[in-house]
Amino acid sequence: MGQAKKRKQRFLTDHTQCCYCGLPATTIDHFPPRNFFKGRHWPVGYEFPACHTCNHAKSRDEQSLGLLVRLIRFDTDPDTREFQEALTAVRNNNPILIKELVPKSAVASKLYLRNRFGSAENVGGLGLTGWRGLSIGPEANRLTDNMCVWFAQTAWYLHCHSIFEGRIIWSRIETEFLGHEAAQQIVSNLVGQPEMLRNGKNVSNDFFYRYFASDDILVSIFQFGQRPQMVFVVCATRKGAINTDLELAKLWGQRNIDLS
């Protein structure tokens, strides 16, 4: 038996249940997926037990998300071979997403940046002069919604040491809102700040998160890249822990995970 098969066998001996559905685990899933990371330099320790059905069902969406997480970074270079390969793969397998990703005009892009960052000088200081935006439609939203749910399930498994069952809520916010005092107070309570290492090197330039976890709740923010356009806020509450009939503002997504 090869070393890779032995490692897989040992892992599945220690982790017997799928972290998504609770059924017997037969495969190892990586989340975030390896294609999210430049050069596929993903962090050690973000491997999770999964059944074949759950793992296989995510694969095509993860391919599309690999492109999206590059597009929501201000520091992405679309001329790299890696980006072009991701674009080609999604063009072949998810034409709905490609059809949605229509570039905004130069004028509309400039106005968008001015509204976010205040002045042409600020935009230039950020190195975003000439930056072009893209429209985001229902397929992109569906994909990032799924990503937030998978993040909640895997982070719960990693930090709360059980299969998640309960309610997940999430939202996308523009990065600069984290600078507001109220947001900083919330972030200061997210005391968990995992290291992202691969072969001893820090890979948090591609993925970074902070979290707070207890027996009943996990709250986290995560982002992709040092210069993300947006960050994701996720909260998972264990089944029966709080009232799940609470109404949420429209900017929040929600999903119940019931394994019974």
Side-chain angles (χ1 to χ4, degrees), residues 110-238:
K110 184 183 295 185
L111 180 61
Y112 172 78
L113 292 175
R114 294 274 187 91
N115 287 337
R116 283 190 67 168
F117 301 115
S119 69
E121 289 76 17
N122 290 344
V123 171
L126 292 169
L128 298 177
T129 302
W131 177 89
R132 294 286 293 275
L134 290 171
S135 61
I136 297 293
E139 176 65 1
N141 286 328
R142 181 191 72 81
L143 289 164
T144 55
D145 286 348
N146 282 345
M147 180 179 69
C148 288
V149 171
W150 296 331
F151 174 87
Q153 290 174 294
T154 53
W156 185 279
Y157 185 86
L158 183 63
H159 301 301
C160 301
H161 313 294
S162 62
I163 311 299
F164 177 74
E165 190 170 15
R167 190 187 198 197
I168 300 169
I169 63 173
W170 65 89
S171 187
R172 298 171 281 265
I173 62 173
E174 294 177 338
T175 312
E176 55 269 25
F177 283 109
L178 291 180
H180 294 178
E181 183 177 352
Q184 284 296 305
Q185 290 178 350
I186 295 172
V187 170
S188 67
N189 290 314
L190 303 180
V191 293
Q193 187 174 338
E195 285 189 309
M196 297 290 161
L197 299 174
R198 182 75 185 178
N199 296 327
K201 295 182 179 180
N202 190 318
V203 295
S204 60
N205 286 351
D206 284 329
F207 176 59
F208 170 86
Y209 74 97
R210 290 188 178 186
Y211 73 95
F212 169 83
S214 71
D215 291 339
D216 293 329
I217 189 169
L218 181 140
V219 182
S220 182
I221 60 168
F222 66 98
Q223 67 187 53
F224 297 101
Q226 287 186 310
R227 302 182 65 194
Q229 295 184 49
M230 64 181 71
V231 297
F232 299 88
V233 182
V234 172
C235 177
T237 54
R238 184 179 57 79

